[in-house]
Amino acid sequence: MSFNTFGKIFRFTTWGESHGPAIGCVIDGCPPNIKVKEQDIQIELDKRKPGQSKFTTQRKEDDKVQILSGIFEGKTTGTPISLIIYNKDMRSRDYETIKNKFRPGHADFTYFKKYGIRDYKGGGRSSARETAARVAAGAIAKKVLENKIGKKFKVIGAVTQLGILGCDLKKWDDGTIRKNAFFCPDKSIVKLWEKYLLDIRKSGSSCGAIIEIRARGVPVGLGAPIYSKLDMDIASAMMSINAVKGVNIGSGMSSAQYTGEQNSDEIFQKGKKLRFNSNNAGGILGGISSGQDIVVSFAVKPTSSILKTRKTIDKFGKNTTISVKGRHDPCVGIRAVPIGEAMLSCVILDHYLMNKAQCG
Amino acid sequence: MSFNTFGKIFRFTTWGESHGPAIGCVIDGCPPNIKVKEQDIQIELDKRKPGQSKFTTQRKEDDKVQILSGIFEGKTTGTPISLIIYNKDMRSRDYETIKNKFRPGHADFTYFKKYGIRDYKGGGRSSARETAARVAAGAIAKKVLENKIGKKFKVIGAVTQLGILGCDLKKWDDGTIRKNAFFCPDKSIVKLWEKYLLDIRKSGSSCGAIIEIRARGVPVGLGAPIYSKLDMDIASAMMSINAVKGVNIGSGMSSAQYTGEQNSDEIFQKGKKLRFNSNNAGGILGGISSGQDIVVSFAVKPTSSILKTRKTIDKFGKNTTISVKGRHDPCVGIRAVPIGEAMLSCVILDHYLMNKAQCG
Amino acid sequence: MSFNTFGKIFRFTTWGESHGPAIGCVIDGCPPNIKVKEQDIQIELDKRKPGQSKFTTQRKEDDKVQILSGIFEGKTTGTPISLIIYNKDMRSRDYETIKNKFRPGHADFTYFKKYGIRDYKGGGRSSARETAARVAAGAIAKKVLENKIGKKFKVIGAVTQLGILGCDLKKWDDGTIRKNAFFCPDKSIVKLWEKYLLDIRKSGSSCGAIIEIRARGVPVGLGAPIYSKLDMDIASAMMSINAVKGVNIGSGMSSAQYTGEQNSDEIFQKGKKLRFNSNNAGGILGGISSGQDIVVSFAVKPTSSILKTRKTIDKFGKNTTISVKGRHDPCVGIRAVPIGEAMLSCVILDHYLMNKAQCG
Amino acid sequence: MSFNTFGKIFRFTTWGESHGPAIGCVIDGCPPNIKVKEQDIQIELDKRKPGQSKFTTQRKEDDKVQILSGIFEGKTTGTPISLIIYNKDMRSRDYETIKNKFRPGHADFTYFKKYGIRDYKGGGRSSARETAARVAAGAIAKKVLENKIGKKFKVIGAVTQLGILGCDLKKWDDGTIRKNAFFCPDKSIVKLWEKYLLDIRKSGSSCGAIIEIRARGVPVGLGAPIYSKLDMDIASAMMSINAVKGVNIGSGMSSAQYTGEQNSDEIFQKGKKLRFNSNNAGGILGGISSGQDIVVSFAVKPTSSILKTRKTIDKFGKNTTISVKGRHDPCVGIRAVPIGEAMLSCVILDHYLMNKAQCG
């Protein structure tokens, strides 16, 4: 049982509140002798960092990570890796006016009911700021996987739907993803998304998004049935990301509409290579990786902190209204891309180690 | 780490293969002094049992459960409850012809690659027969929850989409669900579904389905952020069910298309009662139950065992084709209803106990 | 969290009561492709079986084990191995007279206070009968270790002190151990022990014992500091055995009396072999195996069920006395030898797999 | 599976190396609304702090703890509590000369073999410096227990044997313990111990010790049989402390020499109070607390870092000798007292919460 720990062998525990002195994580179970430097982690953190475009919150955080333990002379030692990121640009006064109100769609109400405490500053522990810590953990997972599996291993994510606007998945281009403010993989749609999101922001509203993460070069055999299936852990990982409400593996919810012959991926041998003629399974059969790309997508609901006035109650049970000012992303889904990449990397590494334990 | 165990405090471990002598489960962490009799478990097992209509497999299994431990004079003792169900109607000869072939869409290929073993008889451990064991565990979870929370607690599931045919959720009627072969909640659509599925079956094909499970009367405060969120564990639980490829909480994947004001559920006080004006959150905010109904839906892919001829390879790497005879459900999604109910009951009980531990 | 499960990767869950229909266990995380047959398990069970000499309880149990799952064509498949042993020679009437009394030194009082239930028949779940299930699990662990490490791996235990009578550890002889009713490793003391224990039994009393278990051929590097140290898990494993009150690793409690130079084992290289000039560490340094023999000893308290009359209370809080008839071992420590061997085998295998996961 | 995490519900994860920038821990699963301030933790840390008398290492560490998260307006919030202690007085040059040598009795050899890395600076992760982090966790556990159980709850430890010198347990006096440099509970022996240890130190040697920890006011019913017995977790907790080689519960190893009537504690009712006429069980029956004092003792081996010259090998496999200079405790057992208190507090709290979950 571990409330704030994720993983089974490669495990990370995050800590910290939005407006506390710092956030961080402790990574345990990391294999030894892997080269890791702060810069490897910083690269990933920089993708998630707030204040990078007009489409994300204007909170300014360097998100500079420090390694406090577990690395000796540039290499992991197999002991816990402690990472810390100090908080800087906190404006708790933004939250004074909503101190006693529950923001609809947020965890304010449920945290208060559960713990009997209202840490109103920036959402406290429920803030998405926590996700910086896991992006850091994911950066290390990636380094380990590259070391163990080789450079063919790659995890890459993109936003594939922004509010009501989709994109053409056939035009997915890795290079495009890092070159626009939306992690959009389809160059042809970027302009339209830009206009759409500016309108949303101007109107004081927000929108949801769908994110797709792909992992290439994953070995066959990862995943431990029945209750440690690879897709269970991936679904759980994605659902742990703030505001995620749905997760698909491969054809996902759409598979309900298919017939057996439309859905099951035929197998054939081409020379010495085994191939599938489609990937509706999203790279997972019976909870175990098949060697195809792992494909997972998830929906992030629209930012609940909006300017528009909403009905709510305060902590004394009185009806009131709320309009959330402060600095918020019009679409939190965008910054979920590096988080999803990090989580998928951690799950794959975890199962890689588990598989080595039992079947290696 | 627990490959075949589900849960954190209320934990069950299942064992057994489709064509072995028996299947079963061991439930640990059950509170003491709860009245449980075999009949309570049998009722739930009978919902899932094969051979009940022309729309499910014709394998005949009594699925009679025996309690081997953990109950003393009609009450749980707090020690492990061991349940066993003997297998009876196994026809392993049905599987002789596909002994060396990998059925597309099945776990044959991945199990073989992972474990180096091909238990070809009825799919071995990967068979959905395992789910009987968890339905039994879920029956006990329900009894405990009814004892702890009271009769207002209820978990009920239904098939809300059969292949390409949906139903009208506004017509959801609990009473209807148990009165048709599909667990369909909308009486007006049953005839159409019946015709549709008969056609599918005659053509030697299969179809997918969407199942929705609702839990009513769940107390506020269940779920342990950040990495033991209630929705994480629900997503994981549903994804553990054979053939499930997507999971939604509340508005799920659809939430991507909404704006903030469409999606976030407003809160208000009506007399002494707190209310929400919608339930897009599916009863979960920040990973913690809000007191609203928990609403989860999931997609079950079409049965992969179909008569239609499909390309595949054998275990020696040679290209071949396969047509799966034997006795298979044209839509495995139907029998997923009691399984989903069982899994949701187990997750809720588990979090109920967890919450009592930390915050009780 | 797992009340009735032991282990981290190689995990077993036991279930069953002394006077229920059966006891058993489910083993999860076992590597695949290991040859295991019922007879391998039976050999170990027969060492622990009651009724084998006049020094153990006269309850007659065949202790015939059946494998219900997890083995296909003679080999482990990597899926759960379910084992069952039916109870036969239960005489619950022996317990009718003490139905409402708490036997001093037993778990009667604490179980009743904790669970609010009094399963008085043979001690219910707290009976040492449960240990048959773990001996079965240990038998499989041994097979896996022999397969992975080779025949140089051996676990062997002995009784090294019977009540007030010790033995000469320098005379330890593996062959002797199986040739006397006490698992005594020193042939020269057996007669004396025999006379001593007969006297104890005749007087209606009982005595304690010290058991020592040695594991040879254990690779260097097993054990995961800081909180999964090999000696932590060994101490925990031994303390889980009924009636154990103390555990030593190597020189154990005696190490308190030593000076640094007496206690620390010097290291030297002899040809290509690394050697230690003593083994006060019991084969474990910093929680990690050093390649020396693992040496653990533990004390088993005297059987609490004795004929002699003792003061106690009944479950209504009234003072009374008790004299326990029925069939009891005059020294339960003797039958703890195969249990200790089993537990040590399980711990070593578990750490072998864990080490492979992180450092393999 | 958790290498550097201790506990099941109340869990702490420690991190940090002896000569790294800092050490710390993250506590998860702490109940909310408990008053905790840095000073509560500091009091416990100060008991363990080095450099307090001539009988402990002269390394000067303030051991000032900072709370980084999990406390809001003076109270726990139920979210992770992150604690950090910066290292200050590191003299890594002391370790340069032994950089490539394995210190006998230390973890140098086994860590190197396991991880392939030699963090020679102050023992790296295997240093007892790590124990400061758990003393901090224990301080919080104590606060929670005092809040939940009340002031009758108390954990107190003492050194009861210093090398070859015991003390009179009948003279145990809580007040005495904090008034001498040895945590000795028997005033009459302190002078003798002082002389003895000075001699040991002067001779460049070291000695072992026995520590006893008592917990009073523990409720009946804590401990979860079979594999989460209270004594299992206590034994495991104590064995996790550096240099511990043996653990006793109650009469411990001595129980082997007793007869059944000498050992089992008779029960009687005195007025409305239930009493036992002895406490050989150390407060635990069948793995569950009986309401008597929990009594645990453990042996700490003599400090392995001694001036006396010892044979060893270097990391290239060459025979050599070693004499460890630097600043070392002549008896590390002394500073194990607050560590043992902390660990026992954590175990008791953990089981308190577990019991609440299942039986509360």
PDB file of all heavy atoms in Angstrom, chain D residues 86 93 194 213 244:
ATOM      1  N   TYR D  86      20.762  18.400   6.395  1.00  0.00           N
ATOM      2  CA  TYR D  86      21.973  18.599   5.603  1.00  0.00           C
ATOM      3  C   TYR D  86      23.203  18.043   6.330  1.00  0.00           C
ATOM      4  O   TYR D  86      23.305  18.130   7.554  1.00  0.00           O
ATOM      5  CB  TYR D  86      22.156  20.078   5.258  1.00  0.00           C
ATOM      6  CG  TYR D  86      21.259  20.488   4.107  1.00  0.00           C
ATOM      7  CD1 TYR D  86      19.992  21.035   4.342  1.00  0.00           C
ATOM      8  CD2 TYR D  86      21.653  20.266   2.788  1.00  0.00           C
ATOM      9  CE1 TYR D  86      19.144  21.370   3.281  1.00  0.00           C
ATOM     10  CE2 TYR D  86      20.810  20.613   1.725  1.00  0.00           C
ATOM     11  CZ  TYR D  86      19.565  21.155   1.975  1.00  0.00           C
ATOM     12  OH  TYR D  86      18.741  21.461   0.929  1.00  0.00           O
ATOM     13  N   ARG D  93      38.496  12.884   3.325  1.00  0.00           N
ATOM     14  CA  ARG D  93      39.919  12.516   3.220  1.00  0.00           C
ATOM     15  C   ARG D  93      40.266  11.372   4.153  1.00  0.00           C
ATOM     16  O   ARG D  93      41.160  10.585   3.886  1.00  0.00           O
ATOM     17  CB  ARG D  93      40.809  13.732   3.469  1.00  0.00           C
ATOM     18  CG  ARG D  93      40.748  14.255   4.884  1.00  0.00           C
ATOM     19  CD  ARG D  93      41.716  15.398   5.163  1.00  0.00           C
ATOM     20  NE  ARG D  93      41.711  15.726   6.590  1.00  0.00           N
ATOM     21  CZ  ARG D  93      40.811  16.531   7.179  1.00  0.00           C
ATOM     22  NH1 ARG D  93      39.879  17.117   6.454  1.00  0.00           N
ATOM     23  NH2 ARG D  93      40.860  16.743   8.487  1.00  0.00           N
ATOM     24  N   GLU D 194      31.559   2.995  32.519  1.00  0.00           N
ATOM     25  CA  GLU D 194      32.378   4.108  32.053  1.00  0.00           C
ATOM     26  C   GLU D 194      33.851   3.707  31.974  1.00  0.00           C
ATOM     27  O   GLU D 194      34.532   3.928  30.971  1.00  0.00           O
ATOM     28  CB  GLU D 194      32.188   5.290  33.003  1.00  0.00           C
ATOM     29  CG  GLU D 194      32.790   6.562  32.477  1.00  0.00           C
ATOM     30  CD  GLU D 194      32.247   7.807  33.190  1.00  0.00           C
ATOM     31  OE1 GLU D 194      31.061   7.785  33.596  1.00  0.00           O
ATOM     32  OE2 GLU D 194      33.010   8.772  33.327  1.00  0.00           O
ATOM     33  N   ILE D 213      14.054  -2.340  24.373  1.00  0.00           N
ATOM     34  CA  ILE D 213      13.063  -1.289  24.149  1.00  0.00           C
ATOM     35  C   ILE D 213      11.719  -1.780  24.685  1.00  0.00           C
ATOM     36  O   ILE D 213      11.321  -2.919  24.439  1.00  0.00           O
ATOM     37  CB  ILE D 213      12.903  -0.950  22.651  1.00  0.00           C
ATOM     38  CG1 ILE D 213      14.244  -0.852  21.920  1.00  0.00           C
ATOM     39  CG2 ILE D 213      12.077   0.323  22.461  1.00  0.00           C
ATOM     40  CD1 ILE D 213      15.044   0.379  22.145  1.00  0.00           C
ATOM     41  N   VAL D 244      22.991  -4.875  13.975  1.00  0.00           N
ATOM     42  CA  VAL D 244      22.192  -5.757  14.839  1.00  0.00           C
ATOM     43  C   VAL D 244      22.278  -7.197  14.327  1.00  0.00           C
ATOM     44  O   VAL D 244      22.136  -7.444  13.135  1.00  0.00           O
ATOM     45  CB  VAL D 244      20.725  -5.279  14.901  1.00  0.00           C
ATOM     46  CG1 VAL D 244      19.840  -6.314  15.609  1.00  0.00           C
ATOM     47  CG2 VAL D 244      20.651  -3.939  15.619  1.00  0.00           C
TER      48      VAL D 244
END
